[in-house]
Amino acid sequence: MNAMLAMKQYQRVSVQSEVFEASPHRLIQMLMQGALERIAQARGAIERNLFAEKGELIGKAISIVGGLREPLDHEVGGELSQNLDSLYDYMIRRLLEANRQNDVGRLDEVSGLLREIKSSWDAIAP
């Protein structure tokens, strides 16, 4: 078996195990980290002129950010929930623009916003 293939399969199993055992708080952290990683990878793909790969990676980041929007409870979360929903919507639009225009600046903008949210989320004790 190819060593790289074996490593990827091991990583996949490791992530699946972590997801299965994770608290809701930890799942959100993992989603945010996953989006940040995909955005960074998309940035690299743009810099290397790998546009098909860039499109895939940005698509994955958009899906993850969409996944962060889904559990928002506007009745319980009130204004904070509404603000996060609007911010996630903005991020998705900026990612779409970055994809269309191969714009690393927009990727950096979304990454910065997401890092700020993640930093606050990480500070909250589960």
Side-chain angles (χ1 to χ4, degrees):
M1 182 185 282
N2 181 327
M4 285 300 285
L5 179 61
M7 179 61 86
K8 286 185 180 187
Q9 288 176 339
Y10 175 79
Q11 289 172 333
R12 196 172 301 125
V13 169
S14 177
V15 169
Q16 288 173 346
S17 295
E18 188 176 355
V19 166
F20 181 71
E21 297 173 4
S23 68
H25 183 268
R26 178 68 184 127
L27 288 173
I28 298 297
Q29 287 176 312
M30 292 171 67
L31 285 170
M32 289 182 190
Q33 187 59 44
L36 288 168
E37 289 170 2
R38 296 311 165 277
I39 292 168
Q41 292 167 344
R43 188 183 205 291
I46 289 172
E47 291 169 349
R48 293 186 313 278
N49 294 322
L50 301 173
F51 300 117
E53 183 179 331
K54 173 248 352 182
E56 267 186 57
L57 292 163
I58 290 177
K60 289 178 181 180
I62 288 169
S63 292
I64 293 170
V65 173
L68 290 168
R69 285 180 80 183
E70 288 177 24
L72 293 174
D73 186 338
H74 299 303
E75 290 181 26
V76 174
E79 185 178 349
L80 176 60
S81 177
Q82 291 289 345
N83 290 341
L84 278 172
D85 188 57
S86 295
L87 188 54
Y88 290 145
D89 179 62
Y90 175 78
M91 288 181 198
I92 289 169
R93 286 185 281 120
R94 295 300 277 178
L95 288 169
L96 288 168
E97 293 167 3
N99 191 31
R100 277 194 305 271
Q101 299 176 11
N102 297 317
D103 185 347
V104 295
R106 290 183 178 140
L107 292 178
D108 291 343
E109 176 190 8
V110 172
S111 186
L113 292 168
L114 197 51
R115 274 194 306 275
E116 277 190 52
I117 295 169
K118 186 177 181 314
S119 174
S120 297
W121 187 257
D122 290 347
I124 299 171

